[in-house]
């Protein structure tokens, strides 16, 4: 087999592995916690309209997009404080087998898969 053919064959074998590593939402480290893992507690910040932010928290249930509890929209300072407290609490919770946390610097627009904020009870 000529050297050029061997190089082409090896590139074709490695291409799927390289592309698989570039999947959106997947950590670069395969051992890093993922929200889809059962027992992974997660907390991440989403960008809301009007310069507001919301905190989404929950626990992975094995599905690709586990539902989380979404807070009401709040200011940057308030969401930073809530995020810091949530990460601190997750660190001592024995049911959190791993922790996935993304702060405001990684905030994405709110996803449709998150649970809505709980409504206030009617009087």
């Amino acid at each position: 087999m000529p050297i050029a053919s061997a190089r082409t064959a090896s590139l074709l074998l490695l291409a799927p592995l390289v592309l698989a590593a570039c999947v959106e939402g997947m950590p670069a480290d395969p051992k890093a916690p993922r929200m889809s893992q059962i027992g992974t507690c997660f907390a991440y910040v989403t960008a809301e309209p009007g310069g507001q932010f919301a905190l989404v928290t929950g626990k992975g249930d094995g599905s690709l997009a586990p539902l989380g509890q979404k807070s009401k929209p709040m200011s940057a300072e308030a969401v930073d404080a809530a995020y810091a407290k949530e990460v601190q609490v997750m660190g001592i919770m024995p049911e959190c087998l791993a922790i996935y946390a993304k702060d405001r610097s990684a905030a994405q627009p709110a996803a449709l898969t998150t649970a809505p904020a709980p409504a206030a009870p009617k009087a």
Side-chain angles (χ1 to χ4, degrees):
M1 177 185 266
I3 293 176
S5 295
R7 285 185 184 159
T8 303
S10 64
L11 286 175
L12 290 175
L13 292 174
L14 291 176
L17 295 174
V18 172
L19 291 174
C22 297
V23 174
E24 181 67 31
M26 296 298 291
D29 180 6
K31 294 183 182 184
R34 294 185 316 271
M35 288 179 12
S36 60
Q37 292 174 317
I38 295 175
T40 297
C41 293
F42 60 86
Y44 62 91
V45 176
T46 61
E48 298 290 320
Q52 298 277 315
F53 298 91
L55 180 64
V56 180
T57 58
K59 187 173 173 188
D61 59 2
S63 65
L64 289 177
L67 293 178
Q69 183 175 358
K70 183 177 176 183
S71 70
K72 63 181 178 167
M74 57 182 104
S75 68
E77 296 81 21
V79 81
D80 287 344
Y83 171 82
K85 182 172 180 153
E86 186 66 31
V87 170
Q88 182 181 20
V89 169
M90 287 189 308
I92 60 173
M93 291 175 59
E95 60 268 16
C96 291
L97 304 177
I99 296 173
Y100 174 90
K102 298 289 181 188
D103 62 8
R104 186 170 48 94
S105 66
Q108 298 287 327
L112 298 176
T113 58
T114 57
K122 293 183 181 182

